[in-house]
Amino acid sequence: MERVDIPVTQPYEVMIGRGLINDSEVLLKPFIEGRKVLIVTEENVEGHGYLKNLKDNLNKISDQITFLCLPPGEAQKSILMVERIISYLAELHFSRDDVLIALGGGVIGDLVGFTASIYLRGIDYIQIPTTFLAAIDSSVGGKTAVDIAQGKNLVGAFHHPVAVLCDINTFETLPTSVFEDGCSELIKYAMIMNEPLLQYLVDREEPLNAKSLDLVEIVKECVIMKKNIVIEDEFDQGLRQLLNFGHTLGHALEQSSKYHISHGRGVALGMLVFTKMAVSQTYITEDFPLIFKKLLDEYHLLGEKPHYTAEQLIKVMQSDKKRRSDQMTIVLPSEFGHCELKVVDIKTFQNWFEKEWDSYEIHKRN
Ligand code: GLY
């Protein structure tokens, strides 16, 4: 098993390995013993037996384990659901000494993290990510949130988990498209700050899959990158915004499509459009988006061009958190495996984006 420590205000550890849920009795004992525990999960995760496995293990160290199993999907990330969980915790007399567990992907992690951040002004929670995407990004770093009609993640808090247990075997039961969504975030890490990783992904003979032998190492490398960013900028005032590469447009596409466009696909298209923008602004050369598009295609991350107009998308992007008064911070590639933050005024951004979106075509896969 690999361990990565995250030395933030309240330090914690990310444990990464295969079959870790089988060992959760031992690995989570320090956080569970003698406490009430509510596991929040979703139906797909339960269907694959991970909830039962976790409960059976934790029952050996606490006789106060309960669970809530939600339907899958972004719709669960709502204030209404937070209220439901909070009422349940109150009915069960959960105190500040008790603990929540998020067993699932990014939706469950964000929802449980946010609920833990506000119940009794904050209780402990543990992240057990079961998707590649949640493992390498959303389960680490303490960002928690729910969506409202006006935008994704517009209500949230910084609240770090007390531990992250990442069992790589759970990725094997993911639908391929969900695993590929995680690859979009992996490619994002490589693009923003890791040229060797980007080159490695470009050079691979076979695309990565859930059984790839190097997956533990890759998750660890991403968690270390995230750690390095988060310890520099825990509260998202500067450097951490690099992690939003592709997300400004990605979130707008997710939201406009009522979440039919997945996070990974939205981010992939967002990264490609902003990479083309970087060419137009002469930050990078023209061959760059071609290599990048080929990589995204290998993971089936690009589909038909969504039918929204530039104007519609700009409107949604302007309600995003990355905006400040009349300026926006955007993330653009400046080298192969390196991105930079650019502060641009809204008008300039609108012009840049309109030009890029109107001329954007998704060509057939090579
Ligand atoms: N998911 C982006 C961040 O944690 O900052």
Side-chain angles (χ1 to χ4, degrees):
M1 182 181 76
E2 301 287 341
R3 293 174 184 268
V4 181
D5 62 307
I6 312 288
V8 284
T9 333
Q10 282 185 296
Y12 57 101
E13 201 173 56
V14 182
M15 298 168 259
I16 307 160
R18 291 192 177 270
L20 296 193
I21 295 180
N22 298 335
D23 300 330
S24 53
E25 173 197 349
V26 176
L27 297 173
L28 297 183
K29 191 171 180 175
F31 313 100
I32 300 289
E33 204 172 25
R35 305 171 89 178
K36 284 190 186 134
V37 179
L38 175 67
I39 305 169
V40 182
T41 192
E42 57 109 319
E43 286 160 9
N44 292 322
V45 176
E46 189 205 6
H48 291 298
Y50 303 128
L51 174 64
K52 181 175 182 322
N53 191 1
L54 181 65
K55 269 197 299 140
D56 288 351
N57 273 285
L58 299 187
N59 273 328
K60 296 177 197 158
I61 44 174
S62 168
D63 54 3
Q64 305 178 84
I65 314 278
T66 43
F67 70 93
L68 263 182
C69 186
L70 311 181
E74 186 79 19
Q76 307 309 317
K77 248 178 79 173
S78 67
I79 301 227
L80 209 67
M81 188 52 74
V82 173
E83 197 184 338
R84 197 182 136 195
I85 300 172
I86 283 176
S87 303
Y88 193 51
L89 291 171
E91 276 165 25
L92 297 175
H93 306 292
F94 265 58
S95 75
R96 273 199 184 144
D97 293 333
D98 298 321
V99 62
L100 286 174
I101 295 183
L103 175 68
V107 167
I108 294 291
D110 283 4
L111 169 71
V112 171
F114 180 59
T115 307
S117 79
I118 58 172
Y119 181 68
L120 303 179
R121 299 201 180 90
I123 66 168
D124 287 352
Y125 75 111
I126 296 166
Q127 289 270 19
I128 307 187
T130 58
T131 65
F132 185 30
L133 193 150
I136 61 176
D137 190 40
S138 56
S139 66
V140 181
K143 271 193 189 174
T144 74
V146 293
D147 308 331
I148 55 172
Q150 289 76 6
K152 185 178 160 90
N153 294 343
L154 286 190
V155 180
F158 290 96
H159 186 56
H160 289 282
V162 290
V164 181
L165 185 84
C166 177
D167 184 343
I168 305 283
N169 284 356
T170 59
F171 305 168
E172 290 184 14
T173 47
L174 292 174
T176 307
S177 69
V178 177
F179 181 78
E180 289 166 348
D181 278 330
C183 296
S184 184
E185 289 286 348
L186 170 66
I187 294 169
K188 175 198 80 178
Y189 276 110
M191 280 286 285
I192 61 174
M193 62 185 307
N194 196 327
E195 193 271 333
L197 178 61
L198 185 57
Q199 195 60 56
Y200 167 80
L201 293 173
V202 168
D203 291 345
R204 272 184 80 95
E205 286 189 359
E206 292 286 322
L208 198 69
N209 65 62
K211 285 192 162 48
S212 297
L213 293 178
D214 45 359
L215 215 47
V216 172
E217 219 21 71
I218 284 179
V219 170
K220 183 179 173 195
E221 192 162 342
C222 291
V223 171
I224 291 174
M225 281 185 271
K226 179 127 194 198
K227 157 191 166 153
N228 290 337
I229 288 183
V230 169
I231 56 181
E232 279 293 316
D233 178 23
E234 189 173 338
F235 298 107
D236 210 14
Q237 297 298 305
L239 186 71
R240 188 164 178 174
Q241 292 174 43
L242 278 181
L243 293 169
N244 293 332
F245 179 44
H247 283 58
T248 305
L249 177 56
H251 282 175
L253 290 166
E254 281 182 83
Q255 193 188 324
S256 304
S257 69
K258 301 206 167 24
Y259 299 96
H260 287 296
I261 296 178
S262 68
H263 184 65
R265 264 84 185 164
V267 167
L269 182 48
M271 291 192 289
L272 185 55
V273 170
F274 277 56
T275 298
K276 285 169 178 262
M277 196 183 282
V279 175
S280 305
Q281 301 314 314
T282 66
Y283 298 131
I284 50 170
T285 53
E286 270 176 20
D287 53 333
F288 193 112
L290 299 175
I291 305 170
F292 187 47
K293 178 181 174 296
K294 188 164 174 290
L295 180 59
L296 295 173
D297 269 340
E298 277 172 27
Y299 291 94
H300 313 108
L301 290 166
L302 301 170
E304 296 283 306
K305 178 178 176 180
H307 56 269
Y308 312 108
T309 63
E311 199 186 338
Q312 285 170 325
L313 292 169
I314 286 169
K315 205 166 154 217
V316 184
M317 283 191 278
Q318 285 185 357
S319 66
D320 198 87
K321 299 177 298 311
K322 272 102 41 203
R323 188 171 87 97
R324 283 202 178 145
S325 61
D326 54 352
Q327 293 190 314
M328 273 179 88
T329 303
I330 57 172
V331 188
L332 293 181
S334 55
E335 282 169 47
F336 192 72
H338 186 81
C339 285
E340 285 177 15
L341 299 175
K342 304 265 175 210
V343 180
V344 286
D345 63 72
I346 297 279
K347 201 81 212 132
T348 306
F349 174 73
Q350 286 175 349
N351 290 336
W352 288 5
F353 180 73
E354 206 168 287
K355 176 169 168 288
E356 244 29 85
W357 187 252
D358 289 348
S359 64
Y360 183 80
E361 281 175 48
I362 298 191
H363 302 283
K364 284 217 166 351
R365 290 178 57 208
N366 302 315

